[in-house]
């Protein structure tokens, strides 16, 4: 990947519970190598797979009002215009637009149901250089208490369409950009703990889901949902030792 179209996810990063321990955990799990950040850039540490940037880790401030979490960023042509539109649609700005040296321009916001995400306007840094391969991102989904409201928000914000999945067991929509499946929206059901806030969850591709789940446990993380088969591949939901949740999937390949 050398460019990400506006309205698609272009980058992910982790507010880590412990930067050194997070590198040990994710290095073992995904085979990532790391490029240490400096004090000037908040120790923003780049993760690489096969020589390509795939994610970043940064230390979570000790006084942060939120737990360790993976963040999702959408590529946009103009962060400032996107923020203005987000406000019109009922979203909230958590971090106003700012330049990140010559890499690009960003803002961090929340949708109209409370799920946080970022905007990324690339300059010298386009975002993830590898996707849909082991050790790189494969899927993104917003988990929220009001799925229909969130779907309307993202459709308008990013000029997307949405297909509702015909499954009575859950409320799930697939967001599409120019016909391509880009992300999902899942409505949290009544069985979900009231303490679970609306959020975006990232799923990473792996070579073997069961082995990845075993590595998560061995390195001090937790398997929140045991590996299961789906039409898209074999999936597990896990959390790192700091509690940041994410998915892993062995992608189903066409015959």
């Amino acid at each position: 990947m050398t460019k990400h179209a506006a309205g698609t996810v272009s980058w992910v990063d982790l507010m880590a519970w412990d930067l050194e321990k997070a590198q040990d955990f994710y290095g073992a799990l995904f085979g990532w190598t790391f490029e240490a950040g400096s004090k000037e850039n908040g120790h923003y540490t780049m993760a690489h797979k096969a020589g390509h940037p795939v994610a970043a880790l940064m230390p979570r401030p000790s006084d942060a009002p939120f737990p360790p979490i993976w963040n999702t960023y959408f590529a946009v042509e103009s962060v400032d215009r996107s923020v203005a539109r987000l406000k019109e649609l009922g979203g909230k700005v958590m971090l106003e637009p700012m330049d990140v040296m010559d890499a690009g321009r960003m803002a961090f916001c929340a949708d109209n149901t409370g799920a946080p995400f970022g905007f990324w306007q690339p300059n010298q840094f386009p975002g993830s250089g590898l996707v849909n391969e082991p050790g790189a991102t494969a899927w993104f989904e917003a988990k929220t208490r009001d799925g229909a409201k969130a779907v309307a928000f993202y459709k308008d914000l990013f000029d997307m369409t949405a297909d509702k999945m015909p499954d009575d067991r859950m409320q799930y929509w697939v967001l599409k950009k120019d016909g391509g499946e880009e992300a999902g929206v899942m409505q949290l059901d009544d069985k979900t703990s009231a303490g679970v806030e609306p959020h975006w969850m990232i799923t990473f591709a792996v070579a073997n889901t069961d082995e990845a789940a075993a590595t998560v446990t061995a390195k001090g993380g937790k398997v929140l949902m045991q590996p299961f088969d789906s039409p898209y591949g074999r999936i597990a939901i896990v959390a790192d030792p700091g509690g940041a949740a994410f998915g892993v999937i062995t992608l189903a390949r066409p015959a």
Side-chain angles (χ1 to χ4, degrees):
M1 298 292 295
T2 58
K3 184 178 180 180
H4 295 267
T8 67
V9 176
S10 62
W11 191 238
V12 298
D13 61 24
L14 172 70
M15 295 289 285
W17 79 103
D18 182 290
L19 189 56
E20 185 175 343
K21 292 179 179 178
Q23 290 179 66
D24 177 67
F25 175 85
Y26 287 101
L29 180 60
F30 295 137
W32 287 350
T33 57
F34 300 94
E35 180 183 347
S38 65
K39 183 177 181 181
E40 288 71 28
N41 72 358
H43 299 287
Y44 197 77
T45 299
M46 301 292 286
H48 292 84
K49 180 70 176 184
H52 301 284
V54 291
L57 315 179
M58 55 185 159
R60 171 181 167 270
S62 59
D63 59 349
F66 47 83
I69 188 171
W70 275 101
N71 300 313
T72 301
Y73 297 82
F74 284 85
V76 294
E77 293 178 356
S78 168
V79 164
D80 297 81
R81 289 199 303 269
S82 297
V83 164
R85 184 59 182 147
L86 172 134
K87 291 177 179 177
E88 294 173 352
L89 295 171
K92 294 182 179 179
V93 180
M94 303 164 70
L95 180 64
E96 292 286 349
M98 60 175 286
D99 290 324
V100 183
M101 296 176 284
D102 62 351
R105 188 166 173 80
M106 68 161 290
F108 206 76
C109 309
D111 68 23
N112 61 347
T113 70
F117 68 96
F119 291 123
W120 180 251
Q121 178 185 332
N123 183 14
Q124 297 299 311
F125 181 69
S128 299
L130 189 70
V131 299
N132 296 328
E133 295 290 343
T137 55
W139 189 241
F140 318 91
E141 61 189 25
K143 297 190 174 186
T144 178
R145 301 287 174 178
D146 192 334
K149 184 177 180 180
V151 167
F153 174 90
Y154 290 107
K155 285 175 64 178
D156 198 322
L157 182 63
F158 294 124
D159 191 24
M160 289 176 159
T161 59
D163 292 340
K164 192 172 189 297
M165 295 190 68
D167 190 336
D168 293 335
R169 295 170 298 176
M170 63 177 178
Q171 302 286 308
Y172 196 100
W173 294 259
V174 176
L175 297 172
K176 295 182 176 181
K177 180 70 175 179
D178 298 326
E181 296 184 351
E182 297 298 337
V185 174
M186 187 177 81
Q187 183 163 303
L188 298 171
D189 59 27
D190 295 338
K191 298 177 183 178
T192 305
S193 169
V196 176
E197 299 287 343
H199 63 281
W200 274 88
M201 193 179 79
I202 299 158
T203 298
F204 295 91
V206 293
N208 185 298
T209 298
D210 296 80
E211 290 179 3
T215 299
V216 166
T217 301
K219 298 299 291 185
K222 294 181 179 179
V223 177
L224 305 178
M225 184 177 292
Q226 293 292 331
F228 63 94
D229 292 319
S230 81
Y232 304 100
R234 189 161 174 80
I235 304 170
I237 308 301
V238 301
D240 68 21
F246 58 97
V248 292
I249 183 171
T250 306
L251 291 167
R253 301 294 186 181

